[in-house]
Amino acid sequence: MRKILLASALALAVGAPAIGSASVIFNVNQTIGAGGVTGTITTDGTLGALGSTNLLDWSLTLNDGATTFLLTAANSEVAFILGAALSETASQLLFDPANGGIALFQNPTIGSGQNFWCLDNPSGSCDSRPGTESLRINGATQTAAWQGIVVIGADAALPLALAGGSWRLGLAGGYTTDSLKVSQRMSSGTVESVFGAIYGGASFGALQLRAGASYGANSTSTTRQAIFPGFADAMGASYDGSTAQAFGEAGYRIGLPSLLAGLGFGRASLEPFVGAAAIHIHQDGFAESGGAAALIGFGRSYDLATTTVGVRAETAFGTSLPLTLRALVGWRHAYGDVAPTALLAFQGATQPFSVTGVPLDRDALLAELGLDYAVTSAVTLGLSYSGQFGQRAADNALKGRIDVSF
């Protein structure tokens, strides 16, 4: 059997420990005539025969020996994948021309006759050259006849073929710092955290399963002043703590290959999901420096759990820019220690007292909106907004990130 073999590559995210999809990235490095094709193809992890909706993303540099052109999911389309010509195993993406299929990646649209990479069968008609692999840039076509098995990329240990699914495992780590300031009370503080996480996912067709755990070591420093007629004092403290979290999620991805095409968008997907998380937070005890107003804080632990139900949406812009728009709407319910309390005492006093902070809302609406720009096939820049709106409080955040896959 003559076929193209693409070897799967493990993606390792460097950044916040967020759970990603169970997609699989395949490396491409193929010589065609005087040029070739290099880059990556990302699938949804489905095992067996694939269709065009199973290809989530691609970044392919065409080279005809003199000129290059970048095909992406944002500026091109894929079509004519027939029967079982394209299939995926736990570690391989296979194209078998003997099965009568054609795989065509073309800019700007299928049938435009412009820039493309085509995998053809012996009776096909890619640029009137049946039984070849071909590419075209601005009318200059390079072809290569099938020569047995062509190996593209290299095997990686993951994903694993367990229970009929495609599996992915990743590690993440990072450092965060937050500053707090209450000018009216002449108080300020900083919270620094170093965290590590392990996460995994499995794909069973459209069903997506994700889970993971993270642990962070926290360091908190605070300063404050107490001033009123006849009294003035300045206090400060430094203490440590930790945060542990476990989370899981199940989603069902629905491909929308043509619903938004008329609006200028490319591929799109909708994913209803349900998730749960358990969080354990510990703060060590502390003793403030200062005078009569200095406090002693007793060590405390807090346990929280949440469940979330929502839907995600994702679409790529149908332009020459490799941009992806993401959105999320959901509802979150919280359990456990939703009202944070601190047990304190003045230094030298025998009677402690409790201070209660603003309670977390038991129920809250979640909203997220993000935009990703693929600088290269391995580097993505992202900007996102997230909001949580409850009866007592609202939280808003704007985040920037850099993802590196290798």
Side-chain angles (χ1 to χ4, degrees):
M1 184 192 308
R2 297 178 300 170
K3 56 189 175 181
I4 276 192
L5 171 64
L6 297 94
S8 62
L10 169 66
L12 176 63
V14 181
I19 296 299
S21 68
S23 57
V24 183
I25 302 173
F26 293 90
N27 296 318
V28 177
N29 185 10
Q30 174 66 348
T31 299
I32 304 175
V37 179
T38 59
T40 62
I41 298 174
T42 303
T43 73
D44 61 8
T46 298
L47 299 181
L50 302 182
S52 58
T53 57
N54 298 119
L55 304 187
L56 302 182
D57 199 9
W58 56 88
S59 179
L60 302 167
T61 300
L62 309 184
N63 184 346
D64 65 3
T67 308
T68 61
F69 185 87
L70 178 64
L71 288 179
T72 70
N75 71 3
S76 61
E77 297 179 351
V78 60
F80 302 158
I81 298 178
L82 308 175
L86 192 65
S87 61
E88 182 174 343
T89 70
S91 60
Q92 299 173 347
L93 183 63
L94 306 173
F95 177 80
D96 184 4
N99 282 343
I102 299 173
L104 175 63
F105 298 80
Q106 188 162 34
N107 161 268
T109 59
I110 297 298
S112 63
Q114 299 300 311
N115 312 293
F116 67 75
W117 176 37
C118 181
L119 308 175
D120 204 353
N121 66 70
S123 60
S125 58
C126 266
D127 202 45
S128 300
R129 292 174 173 84
T132 64
E133 179 183 14
S134 58
L135 67 86
R136 172 186 287 182
I137 303 176
N138 298 327
T141 302
Q142 297 289 328
T143 64
W146 297 118
Q147 300 292 332
I149 298 176
V150 181
V151 179
I152 305 176
D155 264 337
L158 294 175
L160 302 174
L162 298 176
S166 178
W167 295 74
R168 181 178 178 181
L169 182 68
L171 300 173
Y175 165 84
T176 66
T177 180
D178 293 309
S179 297
L180 313 171
K181 186 175 183 179
V182 183
S183 300
Q184 294 87 342
R185 298 187 180 277
M186 295 173 286
S187 303
S188 64
T190 60
V191 181
E192 297 178 290
S193 300
V194 177
F195 64 84
I198 182 171
Y199 61 89
S203 175
F204 301 87
L207 178 63
Q208 310 293 318
L209 301 179
R210 307 169 187 118
S214 65
Y215 179 84
N218 312 317
S219 177
T220 304
S221 298
T222 61
T223 61
R224 63 188 183 94
Q225 297 183 51
I227 300 176
F228 52 87
F231 183 86
D233 201 359
M235 292 73 67
S238 296
Y239 49 97
D240 298 325
S242 62
T243 304
Q245 179 179 196
F247 38 88
E249 184 181 283
Y252 192 87
R253 180 181 291 137
I254 303 170
L256 306 173
S258 59
L259 183 62
L260 301 176
L263 301 178
F265 293 89
R267 61 178 176 85
S269 66
L270 201 65
E271 184 179 322
F273 69 92
V274 58
I279 306 167
H280 177 78
I281 302 171
H282 175 75
Q283 287 292 126
D284 292 345
F286 64 88
E288 282 188 319
S289 60
L295 294 172
I296 295 175
F298 297 86
R300 293 293 303 269
S301 294
Y302 309 90
D303 293 297
L304 294 167
T306 63
T307 53
T308 305
V309 178
V311 60
R312 292 188 183 90
E314 177 181 317
T315 185
F317 285 95
T319 68
S320 59
L321 290 177
L323 294 173
T324 301
L325 180 67
R326 309 176 193 276
L328 178 150
V329 176
W331 169 79
R332 176 170 293 165
H333 184 73
Y335 312 83
D337 300 326
V338 297
T341 60
L343 185 62
L344 306 171
F346 288 104
Q347 295 189 22
T350 58
Q351 185 64 41
F353 57 92
S354 295
V355 176
T356 301
V358 177
L360 300 176
D361 285 292
R362 291 279 184 182
D363 297 284
L365 172 70
L366 307 180
E368 294 181 8
L369 185 65
L371 188 64
D372 293 343
Y373 174 72
V375 180
T376 69
S377 60
V379 179
T380 300
L381 301 179
L383 181 65
S384 64
Y385 162 81
S386 61
Q388 179 171 306
F389 307 94
Q391 184 178 6
R392 297 186 183 94
D395 295 326
N396 297 277
L398 187 65
K399 299 179 181 179
R401 79 176 199 281
I402 299 177
D403 289 342
V404 180
S405 300
F406 54 91

